[in-house]
Amino acid sequence: MKMEVVNRYITIKNHVEGAPQDSDFELRSSPLVLSMEPGSDEVIVKNLYVSIDPAQLNRMKSYSSSQDCSTFAVAMTPGEDIDAYGVGKVVVSGNPKFGKGDIVAGFLKWGGFTVVKSGGMLNKLDPMGFPLSYHVGILGFSGLTAYVGFFEICKPKKGEKVFVSAALGSVGNLVGQFAKALGCYVVGSAGSKEKVALLKEKLGFDGAFNYREETDLKSTLQRYFPDGIDIYFDNVGGDMQGAAVSNMNINGRIAVCGVISEYTDREKRAAPSMIDVIYKRLKIQGFLAGDYLNLFGDFLSTTCDYLRAGEIQPLEDISDGVESIPSALINLFEGQNIGKKIIKIAEE
Amino acid sequence: MKMEVVNRYITIKNHVEGAPQDSDFELRSSPLVLSMEPGSDEVIVKNLYVSIDPAQLNRMKSYSSSQDCSTFAVAMTPGEDIDAYGVGKVVVSGNPKFGKGDIVAGFLKWGGFTVVKSGGMLNKLDPMGFPLSYHVGILGFSGLTAYVGFFEICKPKKGEKVFVSAALGSVGNLVGQFAKALGCYVVGSAGSKEKVALLKEKLGFDGAFNYREETDLKSTLQRYFPDGIDIYFDNVGGDMQGAAVSNMNINGRIAVCGVISEYTDREKRAAPSMIDVIYKRLKIQGFLAGDYLNLFGDFLSTTCDYLRAGEIQPLEDISDGVESIPSALINLFEGQNIGKKIIKIAEE
């Protein structure tokens, strides 16, 4: 009864410089025995859906292992398999908390199977009637990130003016939808005409613009926010942050969630006016959703309610198969995804 | 009994470009009748001590009146007298709250006398046994700024590692002293060898360095903070902020109090790594002490207790006479002051 499978997984060949390239990645295979040594408390999960996140690029960089970042973003080792949030099904379990066939969510791997060691982040998942892919995106870490960043960090009030950059991204689209559901005025930026149309027509944003067509972001934001910005949910950093700071209202809040501009080019930094920061009493706050797991229950019930009421909707961009992972990450940095980028690894 | 005096005051001849120059200022005189029209509720104050603050330069800039800053930093009009925090003595009062001879504190003018209109910020002052000059600095707005920025914005804990830039400035020296009194590890930066010695020997800082002698601020801070920075009290902005962000610990807090680098050159902006801001969950918060007048009582009693116990000491740099005001402001931007810059206008 010792079944052996071939586990195909994605790894990096080298640390990534700048934007990721196809040549940075490699599809490897290794045999995996689907059984447990006696006494092992590991769990083998067949991966069903895994997440593609811009932040993963950070850990592919060599600087992650330098003193700069060593304490907070552990660098990946080329050749090793790569962590990713995902949903899967238990095939073998040495851990009494899990049984064969359980649907689980947690940190899996970019590959066909994950061997989850004791202490790894893994939980049984109740799909609550929603498709499993929802639990990788809108009901998973992307959703939690949007929820925490918007509600906890920015403490929004109905009627406030909210700007979201990378507004069709996995997190941005949810922040905008949460803000609309709360009764805020919401404008988003994105990188194409099609995305702008989607933001306005499908997601009900009050306004949206293609940042690639704008030459002076400060004036652009002035046009979309004649009464100023109260909350800026920052997914991009760089010049956009500076332009937003110039347009913030007194007591404005900026949640710094992502800096896609810095991920590929560390020199492309935001340089907001600190005179504005002082006189407008701005708060610029970085956060990681992982610090707020205590809010996961609140997040889930709020978001499920909104989903069932049709007030928000998932925006998924799903590709098939382990081999589609590298291009999915590469496309993310080229702005080609619409909503949450997910890889469907296998049928349930 | 209609006494008339010559009121000498300082004004700007033009909006100031870059750092202030002697030629930007003018000493003017105008006759002032020391009596009230019947029904007037104005108060005429003989100014005794007035404050010199770097932030005053902001209002001397032409951009203050542009759309950029219009809502939060009202530009001065060349030729008009200039507001400054100060302490004075009432000479004539049409306001029943004040009587002749009252010692008062509030927004006065850079000049010999101030006509305080109804609604102007003016309060009777109880010197509590301290010299009047203390009430312009350590027990005035500079003190409140240090108190609010450190205790309210940064929420310090005993043993935390605190970095203060412009640490011999009016606010910086108090932040450092508050931090030492609380039991923090404190390092300050300043612009000369003499200042560094004062910080260590007179104010008891754990470390201090002359930023002009350092070529790589990031490494400098790493040397002084081998265990990282928990709190950065930022008085300067620019490169120092970027270097501090690189050395901050997780959950670090940055109170942005002043950006002396931006005051004279708006292009000299801080460009902190937003990747650090995210992964280290940093908070960068601007504030104005004027928003926290409700804490003035707490601030005053805490600070007086510290003063009486000898745990903190005032650091005053006092010049004499209205005519010394322009050079006092100019010297501030050349880093020539030690502690709180105050002008003694007249004897009580």
Side-chain angles (χ1 to χ4, degrees):
Chain A
M1 270 283 289
K2 257 202 182 178
M3 201 178 135
E4 190 179 282
V5 293
V6 173
N7 183 30
R8 297 159 71 237
Y9 62 94
I10 297 294
T11 181
I12 47 171
K13 283 196 247 179
N14 43 260
H15 286 126
V16 177
E17 301 292 326
Q21 313 279 333
D22 211 43
S23 56
D24 293 319
F25 299 94
E26 194 175 10
L27 176 65
R28 289 200 182 180
S29 317
S30 61
L32 179 68
V33 177
L34 297 185
S35 68
M36 284 289 138
E37 298 291 320
S40 167
D41 54 4
E42 293 179 350
V43 180
I44 300 179
V45 176
K46 181 184 167 198
N47 304 333
L48 301 174
Y49 292 94
V50 296
S51 175
I52 305 289
D53 294 294
Q56 287 171 301
L57 178 62
N58 255 333
R59 296 190 47 216
M60 297 175 186
K61 301 273 178 185
S62 54
Y63 63 70
S64 300
S65 54
S66 74
Q67 53 182 4
D68 267 28
C69 306
S70 58
T71 49
F72 51 92
V74 182
M76 292 173 188
T77 306
E80 282 187 3
D81 46 12
I82 292 172
D83 295 322
Y85 191 76
V87 169
K89 192 175 195 168
V90 173
V91 285
V92 191
S93 175
N95 184 328
K97 287 200 294 186
F98 301 98
K100 188 176 171 177
D102 283 351
I103 297 294
V104 289
F107 283 117
L108 305 180
K109 300 286 181 183
W110 272 357
F113 292 86
T114 308
V115 180
V116 182
K117 297 197 172 7
S118 170
M121 187 202 160
L122 195 70
N123 292 294
K124 275 201 213 183
L125 178 70
D126 171 6
M128 297 178 294
F130 295 108
L132 289 184
S133 61
Y134 282 29
H135 296 276
V136 179
I138 192 167
L139 299 176
F141 246 71
S142 306
L144 180 66
T145 303
Y147 180 86
V148 162
F150 185 58
F151 291 109
E152 281 297 299
I153 305 292
C154 297
K155 307 243 182 277
K157 288 185 283 288
K158 187 179 169 174
E160 284 197 309
K161 317 286 183 287
V162 177
F163 174 51
V164 188
S165 54
L168 261 189
S170 58
V171 174
N173 87 83
L174 290 174
V175 171
Q177 293 192 74
F178 282 141
K180 282 306 299 174
L182 185 69
C184 294
Y185 169 85
V186 184
V187 173
S189 64
S192 75
K193 205 191 287 184
E194 295 67 31
K195 288 184 176 183
V196 167
L198 269 175
L199 286 171
K200 291 196 285 193
E201 288 151 27
K202 186 165 179 190
L203 299 186
F205 277 48
D206 299 288
F209 63 90
N210 177 356
Y211 71 90
R212 294 181 207 263
E213 284 176 358
E214 303 294 331
T215 50
D216 177 357
L217 293 171
K218 190 168 145 185
S219 312
T220 305
L221 288 175
Q222 219 154 35
R223 217 162 63 230
Y224 282 94
F225 291 95
D227 301 320
I229 302 170
D230 297 305
I231 290 173
Y232 172 39
F233 196 96
D234 186 359
N235 289 306
V236 303
D239 291 343
M240 191 70 93
Q241 192 189 89
V245 162
S246 296
N247 282 281
M248 296 297 286
N249 288 329
I250 284 176
N251 296 321
R253 292 134 274 159
I254 299 179
V256 190
C257 177
V259 278
I260 206 157
S261 59
E262 272 189 53
Y263 290 161
T264 51
D265 179 356
R266 293 208 93 197
E267 300 310 309
K268 264 196 185 166
R269 286 194 176 174
S273 159
M274 285 292 148
I275 292 187
D276 279 334
V277 169
I278 295 175
Y279 280 93
K280 300 198 278 197
R281 298 84 151 169
L282 304 183
K283 183 177 82 165
I284 301 176
Q285 170 91 58
F287 72 100
L288 291 177
D291 293 343
Y292 298 85
L293 292 177
N294 60 316
L295 297 179
F296 204 90
D298 295 346
F299 147 67
L300 218 50
S301 75
T302 303
T303 310
C304 289
D305 288 350
Y306 278 142
L307 273 171
R308 291 192 182 105
E311 293 206 62
I312 66 175
Q313 53 182 306
L315 206 61
E316 297 179 323
D317 184 343
I318 303 181
S319 304
D320 271 311
V322 170
E323 59 284 345
S324 69
I325 290 176
S327 61
L329 186 75
I330 292 163
N331 290 348
L332 209 62
F333 286 92
E334 290 171 351
Q336 292 184 28
N337 62 307
I338 301 281
K340 177 65 194 175
K341 186 72 211 175
I342 297 169
I343 307 293
K344 182 177 179 181
I345 304 283
E347 291 290 344
E348 190 179 333
Chain B
M1 270 284 287
K2 256 200 180 175
M3 199 179 136
E4 191 178 283
V5 292
V6 173
N7 183 29
R8 296 159 71 238
Y9 62 94
I10 297 295
T11 181
I12 48 171
K13 283 196 246 178
N14 43 259
H15 286 126
V16 177
E17 301 292 326
Q21 312 280 331
D22 211 43
S23 56
D24 292 321
F25 299 94
E26 194 174 9
L27 176 65
R28 288 199 183 181
S29 317
S30 62
L32 179 67
V33 177
L34 297 186
S35 68
M36 284 288 138
E37 298 291 321
S40 167
D41 54 4
E42 293 178 352
V43 180
I44 300 180
V45 176
K46 180 184 167 198
N47 303 334
L48 301 175
Y49 292 94
V50 296
S51 175
I52 305 289
D53 294 295
Q56 287 171 301
L57 178 63
N58 255 332
R59 296 189 46 215
M60 297 175 186
K61 300 271 178 187
S62 55
Y63 62 69
S64 299
S65 54
S66 74
Q67 53 180 5
D68 267 27
C69 307
S70 58
T71 49
F72 51 91
V74 182
M76 290 173 190
T77 307
E80 282 188 4
D81 46 13
I82 292 172
D83 295 322
Y85 192 75
V87 168
K89 192 176 196 168
V90 172
V91 285
V92 191
S93 174
N95 183 327
K97 286 199 294 183
F98 301 98
K100 188 176 170 178
D102 283 353
I103 297 294
V104 289
F107 283 119
L108 305 180
K109 300 286 181 183
W110 273 358
F113 293 86
T114 309
V115 179
V116 182
K117 298 196 174 7
S118 171
M121 187 201 161
L122 194 70
N123 293 294
K124 274 201 213 182
L125 178 70
D126 171 6
M128 297 179 295
F130 295 109
L132 290 184
S133 61
Y134 282 29
H135 296 276
V136 179
I138 193 167
L139 298 176
F141 246 71
S142 305
L144 180 66
T145 303
Y147 180 87
V148 162
F150 185 59
F151 291 107
E152 281 297 299
I153 304 292
C154 297
K155 307 243 181 276
K157 288 184 284 287
K158 188 179 168 173
E160 284 197 309
K161 315 287 183 288
V162 177
F163 173 50
V164 188
S165 54
L168 262 189
S170 58
V171 174
N173 88 83
L174 290 175
V175 170
Q177 293 192 73
F178 281 141
K180 282 307 298 174
L182 185 69
C184 293
Y185 169 84
V186 184
V187 173
S189 64
S192 74
K193 204 191 288 184
E194 294 68 31
K195 288 184 176 182
V196 166
L198 269 175
L199 286 171
K200 291 195 284 192
E201 287 151 29
K202 186 165 178 187
L203 300 186
F205 278 47
D206 299 288
F209 63 90
N210 177 358
Y211 71 89
R212 295 180 206 263
E213 284 177 357
E214 303 294 331
T215 49
D216 176 357
L217 293 171
K218 190 168 146 185
S219 312
T220 304
L221 288 176
Q222 219 154 34
R223 217 162 63 230
Y224 283 93
F225 291 95
D227 301 321
I229 301 170
D230 298 304
I231 290 174
Y232 172 38
F233 196 96
D234 186 359
N235 289 305
V236 302
D239 291 344
M240 191 70 92
Q241 192 188 88
V245 162
S246 297
N247 281 282
M248 296 298 287
N249 288 330
I250 285 177
N251 295 321
R253 292 134 273 159
I254 298 179
V256 190
C257 177
V259 278
I260 205 158
S261 58
E262 271 190 54
Y263 289 161
T264 51
D265 179 355
R266 293 207 93 197
E267 301 310 308
K268 264 196 184 167
R269 287 194 176 173
S273 158
M274 286 292 148
I275 291 185
D276 279 334
V277 170
I278 295 175
Y279 280 92
K280 300 199 277 196
R281 300 81 151 169
L282 303 184
K283 181 177 83 165
I284 301 176
Q285 169 91 59
F287 72 100
L288 292 178
D291 293 344
Y292 298 85
L293 292 178
N294 60 315
L295 297 179
F296 204 90
D298 295 346
F299 147 67
L300 217 49
S301 74
T302 303
T303 310
C304 288
D305 288 350
Y306 278 142
L307 273 171
R308 291 193 184 106
E311 292 207 62
I312 66 174
Q313 52 181 306
L315 207 61
E316 298 180 322
D317 183 344
I318 303 183
S319 304
D320 271 310
V322 171
E323 58 285 345
S324 70
I325 291 175
S327 61
L329 186 75
I330 292 163
N331 290 348
L332 209 63
F333 286 92
E334 291 171 351
Q336 292 184 29
N337 62 308
I338 302 282
K340 177 64 192 175
K341 186 72 210 176
I342 297 170
I343 307 294
K344 181 177 179 181
I345 303 285
E347 290 291 342
E348 190 179 333

